[in-house]
Amino acid sequence: MLRFAWPWVLAAVALAPLVRWIARDSASRRQAALHVPFLQDFQRAAATGAGGGSRGLLWLMALAWLALVVAAARPQWLGEPVDLPVAGRELMLAVDISGSMEKRDFRVSDRITTRLIATKMVAGDFIERREGDRIGLILFGQQAYVQTPLTLDRETVKTLLYEAQIGFAGMETAIGDAIGLAIKRLRGDDVAGRVLVLLTDGANTAGEIDPRKAAQIAAQEGLKIYTVGIGADEIVVNSMFGRRRVNPSADLDEETLQAIADTTGGRYFRARDTQELMEIYREIDALEPLSKEAPGFRPVRALYPWPLGLSALLMLIVLATQSGLRGRFRADAAGVGSAP
């Protein structure tokens, strides 16, 4: 959208006709008192440079003045509105990609799938909703590593989460190391809300840091941890003795996950299926509300150089033309003066 920062300057367009009227009235009074012999000779000489040429110069000068006034009014082009969310929380997701996450006890779109695929789907939607938060991603198995540092680029976080595969970090589970890495990444940030959402389906079987000790350090650093235990309570499997029911989550250490959440002021959630997992992430949204968006702005691009340049070009043309006409007038006048 086009706008003028100083639209009142456009009123100066009316000055050009006013000045011309005053100048013409003054010139007519001077000419009335001027008596020149051989008037017909001067009129004949002036006719060679007057008429259509002078009217053309007048139009060029009018356009130059109009362009100059438009430039002085500061024309601007407003771009599309852009929303800038206020930086909210520092939020880390720690996702278990150990071997047990390959168990197929979750259902997505009426199809049985692995725990990791269900986690990707639900966590991806959670990431998409966290506009205004800086989000990072930690993947852990036998080791823990930062897949994505804290960023406002939610699409990149989602993409790297979707690309995670079982075994990238080993087949065991290092919960304590994942918490320790999150503490290191979030330490020292002057942000009111620093949150870790840790999702696992097992117990701490690897790593150098005890999960409960890591939770104590996190509490001292002001880091709140929400833990999510994932895995069905019961599934039916076929064996040589027929169909039987088993608990695929027998290795899940709920006691430790509950202790981690309690120590840091967070909460422990249990996700037995995809629906429960979705509800858990919605509840985390409610517990850690989204940041409010700041007032949007529209990018502004100054356009005054264009009319200013046009005005300068037109004035150069006028000056060059007037210089040529003066030369022709002097030549013609000299010819008239030397005529017998």
Side-chain angles (χ1 to χ4, degrees):
M1 184 177 70
L2 180 66
R3 77 166 185 184
F4 292 94
W6 298 336
W8 50 268
V9 176
L10 295 175
V13 172
L15 291 177
L18 180 62
V19 171
R20 175 168 172 75
W21 179 78
I22 294 173
R24 179 183 295 176
D25 184 65
S26 176
S28 64
R29 287 198 301 269
R30 288 198 305 270
Q31 289 174 359
L34 185 64
H35 301 281
V36 181
F38 313 112
L39 181 60
Q40 292 181 347
D41 292 335
F42 278 98
Q43 288 177 341
R44 185 168 58 250
T48 61
S54 62
R55 285 193 298 272
L57 287 179
L58 183 61
W59 279 108
L60 287 178
M61 293 173 67
L63 288 174
W65 173 250
L66 178 61
L68 184 62
V69 172
V70 169
R74 291 183 59 192
Q76 299 172 336
W77 182 259
L78 298 183
E80 292 296 324
V82 176
D83 293 329
L84 285 182
V86 177
R89 289 162 176 74
E90 305 267 314
L91 194 150
M92 273 284 187
L93 291 178
V95 178
D96 188 349
I97 57 171
S98 63
S100 56
M101 289 292 286
E102 200 169 14
K103 291 182 179 179
R104 305 174 66 87
D105 56 356
F106 272 67
R107 184 179 296 273
V108 175
S109 301
D110 295 328
R111 296 181 59 184
I112 300 298
T113 187
T114 66
R115 295 171 178 177
L116 182 58
I117 291 177
T119 298
K120 289 178 180 180
M121 182 194 73
V122 178
D125 291 339
F126 174 76
I127 293 169
E128 185 64 32
R129 294 194 301 269
R130 301 305 301 188
E131 184 175 1
D133 290 345
R134 295 176 65 207
I135 299 179
L137 176 63
I138 293 175
L139 300 177
F140 67 96
Q142 190 169 345
Q143 297 89 28
Y145 65 93
V146 176
Q147 181 73 340
T148 309
L150 290 168
T151 177
L152 290 171
D153 187 356
R154 291 169 292 144
E155 287 300 319
T156 296
V157 180
K158 283 176 56 179
T159 299
L160 293 176
L161 172 63
Y162 293 159
E163 292 177 352
Q165 299 296 326
I166 300 293
F168 274 11
M171 302 303 285
E172 296 184 62
T173 308
I175 297 174
D177 285 4
I179 297 174
L181 187 56
I183 295 170
K184 181 179 178 181
R185 288 293 177 173
L186 294 170
R187 175 177 290 167
D189 290 329
D190 188 17
V191 178
R194 290 179 293 168
V195 177
L196 170 65
V197 179
L198 185 143
L199 186 145
T200 183
D201 67 343
N204 190 76
T205 58
E208 300 179 0
I209 305 175
D210 178 74
R212 296 181 185 238
K213 180 61 177 178
Q216 293 174 4
I217 298 173
Q220 294 171 5
E221 295 290 334
L223 174 62
K224 186 186 298 183
I225 302 178
Y226 293 101
T227 54
V228 181
I230 185 172
D233 282 338
E234 185 179 83
I235 59 173
V236 178
V237 297
N238 295 318
S239 68
M240 59 184 301
F241 301 105
R243 296 166 63 86
R244 60 190 182 92
R245 298 180 181 274
V246 299
N247 180 10
S249 301
D251 295 332
L252 179 61
D253 188 356
E254 293 190 77
E255 183 180 349
T256 296
L257 295 178
Q258 182 71 64
I260 292 170
D262 292 342
T263 301
T264 60
R267 282 185 58 182
Y268 168 65
F269 301 93
R270 181 75 171 89
R272 299 170 181 83
D273 54 39
T274 305
Q275 186 61 36
E276 282 190 347
L277 188 58
M278 293 172 66
E279 291 174 358
I280 288 168
Y281 276 111
R282 291 194 191 100
E283 191 164 351
I284 294 174
D285 275 337
L287 292 170
E288 301 293 334
L290 303 175
S291 59
K292 295 181 179 179
E293 292 186 357
F297 82 101
R298 303 186 74 169
V300 178
R301 182 161 60 93
L303 301 178
Y304 75 88
W306 297 98
L308 184 61
L310 176 62
S311 177
L313 178 62
L314 292 174
M315 288 307 300
L316 286 175
I317 295 174
V318 169
L319 293 175
T321 305
Q322 284 183 336
S323 178
L325 288 177
R326 288 193 189 98
R328 289 171 55 190
F329 179 77
R330 290 193 186 96
D332 290 343
V336 170
S338 61

